[in-house]
Amino acid sequence: MRVLIDQDKCCGAGSCVLSAPDVFDQRDEDGIVVLLNAEPPAALHEAVEEAAAICPAAAITVEQTERV
Ligand code: SF4
């Protein structure tokens, strides 16, 4: 899994941080999303998928990468 964020779309709602705090954070100054881990481990995939699904700005994209 590879996670991409679009800081231009993000409206700082923070839902992603609540869903997956190990993967997403927010900038202190304006609340815009910060990506902490672009390739999260399998244990976090469900939370990341949920974060992408609930993001009100559709600022999170999840790419499935090949299993090795
Ligand atoms: S849920 Fe979406 S809009 Fe809200 S902080 Fe995260 S990326 Fe930004």
Side-chain angles (χ1 to χ4, degrees):
M1 167 185 277
R2 180 167 296 125
V3 184
L4 304 167
I5 56 167
D6 185 341
Q7 291 181 322
D8 292 335
K9 283 188 187 172
C10 174
C11 61
S15 319
C16 56
V17 182
L18 292 176
S19 296
D22 292 329
V23 178
F24 304 104
D25 199 357
Q26 288 176 279
R27 295 198 299 229
D28 288 338
E29 62 270 30
D30 54 12
I32 298 299
V33 68
V34 176
L35 189 59
L36 299 177
N37 187 350
E39 296 188 11
L44 296 177
H45 286 187
E46 196 174 319
V48 172
E49 296 276 8
E50 183 188 321
I54 63 176
C55 173
I60 302 170
T61 306
V62 176
E63 290 179 349
Q64 299 304 333
T65 47
E66 278 182 52
R67 290 169 200 269
V68 277

